[in-house]
Amino acid sequence: MTITVLETKQLNRTFGALKATTDVSFRLEKGARHALIGPNGAGKTTLINLLTGVLTPSSGQILLNGEEISSVKRENRVRRGLVRTFQINQLFGELNVVESLALVINERRGQGRNCFRRTGSLAGIEDEIASLVCDFGLEGVIDQPCSGLPYGKQRLLEIALAIACKPKVLLLDEPAAGVPQADRQEVMARLSALPADVSILLIEHDMDLVFNFANRISVLVAGALFAEGTVEQISTDPMVKNVYLGGAHV
C-alpha cells in the first residue's frame, strides 16, 4: 500500500496573463525518489516555490500528509517536515560547518536564542553534528568558514543542513548545479545514501544523476505535467525525447 505524503490538486499560479503552472496534480509517495524534470522555463522553480510557501497559489490545493497547507507560512511548513535546498546555496558564509549545523539543530529544537552558545553546552547536539559531518564527508573542513569551502562541499553542507531539520519530505533543487565534474560522483553517492524514510523530490538537469537516483520521473512542460512514469518509461518515451531529452542525449 502506497502512502501519499505530498500532493497538489489542480494547482495554478498566474502572473498577470502568464500561466506559470496550469492544473498541476501531482503526488509524492512515502519513501519516494522522485525527479521533476523539464526544459528551462517549464515552471519547475515556480512549482517548488508554491510547495514551500514562497509563492501563494492562484487556485488549487497543496496537501502535506493529507492536510491542506496552501496558506501555511514557510517556516511552519519546515516545522511540519517539508524542507528544501536551493539552486543557489543559502549558507551562513561567516560561520564554519559545525557552527552552521549547530544553528539549524538549535532552531529545530526550539533553542534558537542559544544558537551561539558553545556547541558542547547543549546535551546531545555534538553527537548529532558528528553524525552529519560523517554522513556528508565534511570531516576535513569542519573549521572552515562556509564561504571558503570548495563548491562541492558547500553543496553537501547545504544538504546536511536540510537533513538536520529532520524532514519528512525533502525538495532538492538542482543539488549538482555548479559542482565540478570531479566532485559530482561524491554528491551523487551522498544523495543515494539519504535516509530511506525521507521522501525526496529532485529537480535536476543532469540526466545521469536523475536516471541513477530516481525511481519515478515527472516531466513539466510550459507549466503543466506532460508525462510521468518510471525511469525506463520516461527515457524511452518518444514525445519526452522530442520536447526535452533529445534523442541523441538518451
Side-chain angles (χ1 to χ4, degrees):
M1 177 181 176
T2 58
I3 299 174
T4 301
V5 292
L6 181 64
E7 182 177 7
T8 67
K9 295 182 178 180
Q10 302 292 303
L11 195 63
N12 291 278
R13 173 67 194 199
T14 59
F15 297 95
L18 174 65
K19 290 186 176 182
T21 62
T22 303
D23 294 332
V24 175
S25 294
F26 167 84
R27 290 184 178 183
L28 183 71
E29 305 297 343
K30 185 175 182 179
R33 298 296 185 261
H34 197 131
L36 178 67
I37 66 173
N40 289 330
K44 300 185 298 298
T45 298
T46 297
L47 179 57
I48 295 303
N49 285 339
L50 289 167
L51 294 174
T52 55
V54 176
L55 294 173
T56 302
S58 300
S59 63
Q61 292 181 296
I62 304 169
L63 297 99
L64 180 64
N65 294 315
E67 296 184 0
E68 169 70 62
I69 63 166
S70 301
S71 60
V72 173
K73 293 181 179 180
R74 281 181 275 181
E75 58 271 23
N76 290 332
R77 297 187 198 198
V78 173
R79 293 189 181 101
R80 293 188 186 196
L82 178 60
V83 180
R84 74 176 291 184
T85 65
F86 291 83
Q87 186 176 350
I88 299 174
N89 283 334
Q90 305 287 308
L91 298 175
F92 311 108
E94 296 183 0
L95 300 184
N96 63 32
V97 170
V98 171
E99 291 167 339
S100 298
L101 290 168
L103 178 63
V104 171
I105 293 168
N106 279 323
E107 182 63 31
R108 189 198 76 220
R109 289 157 57 112
Q111 298 172 325
R113 68 174 64 91
N114 297 321
C115 64
F116 290 108
R117 290 175 58 187
R118 187 172 64 86
T119 301
S121 65
L122 295 175
I125 194 172
E126 286 185 311
D127 290 341
E128 187 172 350
I129 290 172
S131 178
L132 288 164
V133 165
C134 179
D135 288 346
F136 290 92
L138 300 168
E139 297 94 329
V141 295
I142 57 173
D143 295 323
Q144 294 185 31
C146 295
S147 59
L149 294 176
Y151 199 69
K153 295 298 184 185
Q154 289 186 16
R155 283 293 185 187
L156 290 171
L157 175 58
E158 186 178 24
I159 300 169
L161 293 171
I163 293 298
C165 295
K166 299 290 187 182
K168 296 181 177 67
V169 176
L170 178 59
L171 310 179
L172 296 171
D173 193 353
E174 296 195 38
V179 177
Q181 192 63 40
D183 297 329
R184 284 183 175 232
Q185 185 173 355
E186 181 182 10
V187 172
M188 291 175 68
R190 303 292 178 180
L191 290 177
S192 296
L194 288 173
D197 60 343
V198 178
S199 308
I200 297 173
L201 178 61
L202 170 76
I203 301 89
E204 184 55 65
H205 284 290
D206 185 330
M207 298 314 299
D208 289 334
L209 194 160
V210 168
F211 290 155
N212 280 285
F213 178 81
N215 50 34
R216 191 162 185 83
I217 299 175
S218 296
V219 184
L220 197 68
V221 177
L225 282 176
F226 180 79
E228 190 170 87
T230 65
V231 171
E232 182 179 2
Q233 289 169 334
I234 295 300
S235 64
T236 58
D237 187 318
M239 292 191 298
V240 174
K241 290 182 184 181
N242 287 335
V243 301
Y244 179 56
L245 296 176
H249 187 115
V250 174

